[in-house]
Amino acid sequence: AVLYLEKIITGSGGKIFATNGKRGDFRTTLKTCEEAGGSIAAPRNQGENDAILYFVKSFNTYAYLGIKESLIPSKFLFLDGTRLSYTNWHVNEPSGKGEEECVQMYTDGTWNDKRCNQNYLIVCQF
């Protein structure tokens, strides 16, 4: 199954961000990106955050990021277990204290911890 990519951006450092314009929960997003040969978008700097924000803004919906809460509540890591060197949390976030394991991007580019069962824009990186 080929993922039809609706929009593509080359971010900083040659990483490519893409969306198929569809929505899915966290698990669906992971699966969709994996099947396309990529992974769920995880911004490691402001430029990459802006690339994802472009999609979030143009589709006017939130997106999940490739960041999950660790076993320590309110401590978030990239999916490969590495520490976040860059964050862009919304004011007073993360606030879920272990109840909200996933991270969504708002339409202003800031992040919020959220449950993993919502349907948001699928954004992948390659």
Side-chain angles (χ1 to χ4, degrees), residues 43-46 49 67 78 83-88 109 111:
R44 290 181 184 260
N45 55 50
Q46 184 67 54
N49 204 76
I67 297 168
F78 287 114
R83 285 194 350 206
L84 304 180
S85 47
Y86 163 83
T87 60
N88 195 31
W111 307 351

Side-chain angles (χ1 to χ4, degrees), residues 69-76 94 96-101 113:
E69 193 162 30
S70 68
L71 296 173
I72 304 156
S74 302
K75 183 169 167 50
F76 287 79
K97 299 182 181 57
E99 292 294 306
E100 300 175 326
E101 290 176 23
D113 55 334

Side-chain angles (χ1 to χ4, degrees), residues 19-71:
T19 182
N20 60 0
K22 295 195 169 77
R23 295 167 190 238
D25 61 13
F26 186 74
R27 194 182 297 126
T28 303
T29 302
L30 286 181
K31 196 163 163 280
T32 304
C33 293
E34 226 163 76
E35 284 170 357
S39 55
I40 181 173
R44 290 181 184 260
N45 55 50
Q46 184 67 54
E48 294 185 357
N49 204 76
D50 288 346
I52 300 163
L53 176 58
Y54 171 80
F55 295 139
V56 166
K57 274 200 162 121
S58 57
F59 287 90
N60 194 29
T61 180
Y62 303 152
Y64 278 121
L65 301 176
I67 297 168
K68 283 283 285 262
E69 193 162 30
S70 68
L71 296 173

